[in-house]
């Protein structure tokens, strides 16, 4: 699945702007992604998902991580804080459904 995302979406930067969409269906999987700095926040589903809820969660997650890392959310901060990110994902997502993403309530 990761190879499919990388080859079909990340390597297609030469395509026209009209073909580059943040939601792509490849085979039986739908990829929803958001780019922030040098990171891709990705959600994958095989069911009919609420795309707006997925993007709201991804933007809220970026805001949450930026508040924890004092504004610097990039590849190196993800590597340094992998355990914290894992715990935050556990708190903000239950069985695939978004929960509380407010930084004040989670700190």
């Amino acid at each position: 699945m990761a190879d499919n995302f990388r080859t079909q979406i990340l390597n297609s930067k030469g395509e026209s702007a009209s073909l580059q969409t943040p939601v792509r269906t490849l085979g039986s999987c739908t990829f929803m992604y958001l780019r922030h700095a040098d990171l891709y926040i990705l959600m994958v589903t095989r069911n009919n998902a609420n795309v707006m809820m997925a993007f709201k969660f991804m933007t809220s997650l970026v805001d949450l991580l930026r508040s924890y890392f004092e504004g610097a959310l990039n590849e190196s901060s993800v590597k340094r804080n992998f355990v914290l990110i894992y715990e935050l994902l556990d708190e903000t997502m239950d069985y695939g459904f978004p929960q509380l993403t407010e930084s004040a309530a989670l700190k």
Side-chain angles (χ1 to χ4, degrees):
M1 194 176 311
D3 289 335
N4 202 8
F5 176 74
R6 185 177 62 248
T7 58
Q8 297 292 325
I9 297 173
L10 296 183
N11 292 340
S12 66
K13 294 186 189 248
E15 291 182 3
S16 68
S18 64
L19 295 176
Q20 293 178 352
T21 60
V23 180
R24 299 276 291 276
T25 301
L26 303 171
S28 64
C29 295
T30 300
F31 296 90
M32 298 166 277
Y33 63 96
L34 175 73
R35 184 165 185 195
H36 176 79
D38 58 348
L39 299 174
Y40 281 91
I41 311 298
L42 173 68
M43 296 183 88
V44 181
T45 184
R46 289 190 173 157
N47 299 323
N48 188 10
N50 185 341
V51 175
M52 289 306 295
M53 182 176 66
F55 276 96
K56 175 62 179 159
F57 177 75
M58 287 189 284
T59 56
S60 296
L61 182 65
V62 167
D63 293 341
L64 175 67
L65 294 175
R66 287 183 67 205
S67 73
Y68 267 83
F69 305 148
E70 297 166 359
L73 179 59
N74 52 35
E75 184 180 358
S76 63
S77 65
V78 169
K79 287 179 180 178
R80 282 193 315 268
N81 299 294
F82 181 78
V83 174
L84 175 62
I85 293 171
Y86 186 82
E87 290 175 5
L88 286 172
L89 283 172
D90 185 45
E91 290 293 323
T92 59
M93 185 77 88
D94 276 338
Y95 299 105
F97 293 100
Q99 302 297 315
L100 185 63
T101 57
E102 294 296 322
S103 63
L106 292 170
K107 285 186 177 182

